[in-house]
Amino acid sequence: MTTDTLSERVGSDGLSARLETAQIFRVVEEELAATLFIDVHTHLFMPSLGKLGLWGIDELVTYHYLEAELFRSSRIKPEQYWPLSKREKADVIWKALFVENAPVSEATRGVVAVLRAFDLSTDNTDLSQARAFFGAQEPRAHIRRVFALAGISEVVMTNDPLDPDEAPLWEHGADPDSQFRPVLRLDRILNKWSDQWQILSSQGYGVYADGRGTTALEVRRFLGEWYARMKPVYMACSLPDAFAFPEEGIRGRLLAEAVLPACREFGIPLSLMIGVRYQVNPALRLAGDGAGKADLRALERLCADYPDNRLLVSVLSRENQHELCVYARKFSNLMPFGCWWFLNNPSIVEEITRERLEMLGTSFIPQHSDARVLEQVVYKWRNTRRTLAPILANSYRLLTDDGRPVSRADVRRDITRLFRGNFESFCGSR
Ligand code: RAT
Ligand code: ZN
């Protein structure tokens, strides 16, 4: 249901009327369902970026979250798995995680919920019915249907200008799409400089392996050119648990002398996703990263020393969540967002979201999907709504108990702020 149709049904009196305690949960559920969210971080791609955009059952079943689970429930070894075709991989995972075991993990349940959303069987022993269904979809109409099922109006992409498959598409003028907002992702530049600097150098930028001379200025010029090409809503980088700032290394220098000044110049935030332990098991490839507790004093320095930069921050370790809230209370240029990757499970989302509401009110962005496969937004946003409804309702119940009545208009304003307004105002787009 759209917000408009809901308000017609409710009427303006109903909007401002005090809610009885017994009504609160239902109203929160209705408002969560009626609000179209902005998905502030995904790995989805707009149609003009062609084959980069993943969708359909074989991609859903071979999501790297499921690949990690495969090696726990099957005897297959990574070296036997990787040479298989995409279909063969999906068949192996389906058999191990969906046929021979009950798909109770968050990532496996997600596939079940997607099948159900499209009225497909959820307990078939093979994927033929689902393959026939997804194979018959027209991509653009399918995207519209998926967004409607997920209750989202737009998604934010992850666009790396040094990705050899992606960069040429932008250079040839990929058609923008208002439902897919670009993000200038800096992982290759900031985390893999020793492999990447020669690519910039070969493109005519005066950069050096050790970062001397014109390097930082030239990286800034590179960012400026990509800003003009992509019009990103923010720049972004994932960072290890050992991230430190300030630091003498190349990453610290490029951050201070190229990235932060460029973000200030363009008036956009920098998103930092802190706490990855890259490739703790390289045999698992994309599924081989782990998580570690970071020293958030690096974030304290960034917030304090760069008050004119805005930082959108997600931290991967559960142990860092409370500190992140404390820092957000100190620095209004810090916006916590999402329950990222290993945290996107109902038990942990519940804990983190309650803590954030208690410490920050509605001044944070509760969740992003991190979807890599289009249809994942259906289950990820469904799960977010399901987990958040009782948490929000409980906050309003406590508030009512403490003496402040709550109306549907309050609930609508808060949900809109959490899932749209905070992002829009932090990114300067509204
Ligand atoms: O959650 C994920 O899919 C991870 O693999 C990462 O991509 C992470 O979200 C990131 O953006 O670095
Ligand atoms: Zn991501």
Side-chain angles (χ1 to χ4, degrees):
M1 191 186 310
T2 66
T3 308
D4 284 350
T5 43
L6 189 67
S7 48
E8 276 160 28
R9 195 162 66 79
V10 170
S12 54
D13 286 354
L15 268 181
S16 53
R18 291 174 175 213
L19 298 175
E20 298 300 327
T21 307
Q23 294 175 299
I24 291 176
F25 182 75
R26 181 179 51 79
V27 169
V28 168
E29 272 196 321
E30 285 174 0
E31 292 298 327
L32 280 169
T35 308
L36 293 179
F37 296 173
I38 298 177
D39 195 341
V40 306
H41 168 60
T42 75
H43 299 264
L44 303 179
F45 292 94
M46 60 191 181
S48 59
L49 294 175
K51 289 200 180 345
L52 294 181
L54 305 180
W55 59 285
I57 192 65
D58 290 312
E59 299 294 351
L60 283 166
V61 174
T62 56
Y63 185 30
H64 70 90
Y65 291 25
L66 296 178
E67 286 176 330
E69 292 176 31
L70 168 71
F71 299 114
R72 303 194 54 75
S73 290
S74 155
R75 285 176 185 276
I76 195 165
K77 298 277 172 251
E79 58 275 20
Q80 298 166 311
Y81 174 78
W82 296 119
L84 300 177
S85 69
K86 177 76 69 180
R87 271 175 92 107
E88 289 168 335
K89 286 179 177 137
D91 287 337
V92 167
I93 293 181
W94 184 257
K95 181 164 174 284
L97 298 183
F98 295 82
V99 179
E100 293 174 351
N101 289 285
V104 292
S105 73
E106 176 72 5
T108 50
R109 243 180 339 92
V111 178
V112 171
V114 169
L115 291 171
R116 176 71 182 276
F118 290 106
D119 288 326
L120 299 166
S121 306
T122 56
D123 56 357
N124 284 358
T125 52
D126 67 42
L127 293 169
S128 49
Q129 184 204 36
R131 282 186 180 128
F133 169 80
F134 287 106
Q137 302 308 307
E138 189 281 310
R140 282 177 194 266
H142 186 55
I143 290 173
R144 280 197 296 279
R145 184 172 175 198
V146 166
F147 274 41
L149 283 169
I152 54 176
S153 60
E154 58 219 269
V155 301
V156 176
M157 301 184 280
T158 296
N159 308 101
D160 190 329
L162 288 173
D163 179 340
D165 295 327
E166 183 170 1
L169 301 170
W170 288 100
E171 282 157 352
H172 291 111
D175 257 350
D177 183 317
S178 59
Q179 286 193 297
F180 291 82
R181 322 251 313 251
V183 157
L184 187 43
R185 178 85 176 214
L186 308 173
D187 283 44
R188 280 183 170 83
I189 294 185
L190 291 180
N191 293 334
K192 297 190 172 159
W193 180 252
S194 58
D195 305 332
Q196 301 292 320
W197 72 273
Q198 279 167 312
I199 298 174
L200 264 75
S201 173
S202 72
Q203 294 173 6
Y205 295 95
V207 296
Y208 302 95
D210 59 4
R212 69 177 183 274
T214 52
T215 301
L217 263 182
E218 285 290 271
V219 168
R220 194 166 162 182
R221 182 164 73 87
F222 174 84
L223 297 176
E225 281 164 16
W226 278 93
Y227 176 81
R229 189 173 282 130
M230 279 182 182
K231 311 276 181 331
V233 277
Y234 58 80
M235 296 194 199
C237 189
S238 79
L239 292 162
D241 58 338
F243 173 61
F245 190 87
E247 55 152 359
E248 276 308 305
I250 187 78
R251 181 172 52 216
R253 289 191 43 209
L254 292 180
L255 255 180
E257 294 170 32
V259 174
L260 290 163
C263 288
R264 287 196 298 275
E265 180 185 344
F266 306 130
I268 56 175
L270 174 62
S271 166
L272 301 177
M273 305 177 74
I274 307 169
V276 188
R277 287 189 54 76
Y278 297 105
Q279 296 293 282
V280 294
N281 185 356
L284 301 193
R285 300 190 181 178
L286 198 51
D289 293 342
K293 183 178 185 310
D295 182 348
L296 292 190
R297 276 176 288 191
L299 185 59
E300 177 182 322
R301 289 277 44 88
L302 281 161
C303 292
D305 296 348
Y306 298 89
D308 297 331
N309 279 97
R310 300 189 301 280
L311 301 168
L312 271 165
V313 176
S314 216
V315 285
L316 192 52
S317 164
R318 182 180 173 197
E319 286 70 27
N320 279 138
Q321 302 303 323
H322 183 255
E323 276 169 279
L324 179 64
C325 291
V326 175
Y327 281 124
R329 292 176 63 88
K330 307 299 128 189
F331 299 107
S332 61
N333 59 338
L334 168 60
M335 175 65 79
F337 79 95
C339 301
W340 174 29
W341 201 343
F342 310 112
L343 304 169
N344 192 357
N345 305 307
S347 59
I348 301 179
V349 172
E350 180 181 337
E351 168 185 296
I352 294 175
T353 308
R354 288 180 60 176
E355 184 170 77
R356 288 176 176 172
L357 279 170
E358 286 162 0
M359 294 182 73
L360 304 174
T362 53
S363 69
F364 66 99
I365 300 169
Q367 192 53 306
H368 64 275
S369 77
D370 235 311
R372 280 177 185 267
V373 182
L374 176 68
E375 299 85 357
Q376 287 171 343
V377 291
V378 174
Y379 88 81
K380 292 193 183 226
W381 284 114
R382 180 173 184 270
N383 292 2
T384 295
R385 286 182 170 89
R386 184 165 61 190
T387 305
L388 259 70
I391 299 170
L392 286 171
N394 191 49
S395 303
Y396 291 126
R397 261 188 229 117
L398 292 173
L399 180 59
T400 310
D401 278 2
D402 285 341
R404 157 74 147 78
V406 171
S407 67
R408 182 184 285 274
D410 292 324
V411 176
R412 182 174 301 178
R413 180 204 52 221
D414 294 347
I415 289 174
T416 305
R417 177 175 181 195
L418 288 165
F419 289 100
R420 298 191 64 85
N422 284 335
F423 178 74
E424 288 175 327
S425 56
F426 204 72
C427 290
S429 53
R430 295 278 191 290

